[in-house]
Amino acid sequence: SIPIAKQLASIKALGKGSDLEKAFATMALVYNNSADPEGKLSKGETKSLLQTQFGGFIQGQENKPKYQEIISALDEEPENKIDFEDFMVLLVSLTLMSDLLQQIRNMKTTK
């Protein structure tokens, strides 16, 4: 498989793209590289992808009820598939509850 950085570099529209545009393109590429031919992930694959690619945000969240609710939903009916839109909702939900987001928000920037 082609590394994400190389895939990003091959997208001409991102040549002068902002950090935010590149971040969203990276999310789409990571998802697409794992998705089936229909562009979907099984719930099990989704859980695995979150653990391998989003570990910094979910680390230490295991005891939070909302995290448990999200992960439980992925464990139920594993044959059900998740599309990109649902995957993005999961990412946003997990990000908003994470301790890492609080650390990012508390980061002092210098000029």
Side-chain angles (χ1 to χ4, degrees), residues 50-51 54-64 67 94 97-101 103:
L50 290 171
Q51 290 169 336
F54 214 58
F57 280 92
I58 61 176
Q59 184 177 4
Q61 307 308 301
E62 297 84 4
N63 294 325
K64 291 184 178 180
Y67 175 84
L94 292 169
M97 78 171 81
S98 75
D99 296 330
L100 183 55
L101 179 62
Q103 292 174 25

Side-chain angles (χ1 to χ4, degrees), residues 99-111:
D99 296 330
L100 183 55
L101 179 62
Q102 286 308 113
Q103 292 174 25
I104 292 167
R105 286 180 171 163
N106 293 335
M107 178 72 64
K108 301 292 182 204
T109 57
T110 56
K111 294 183 179 185

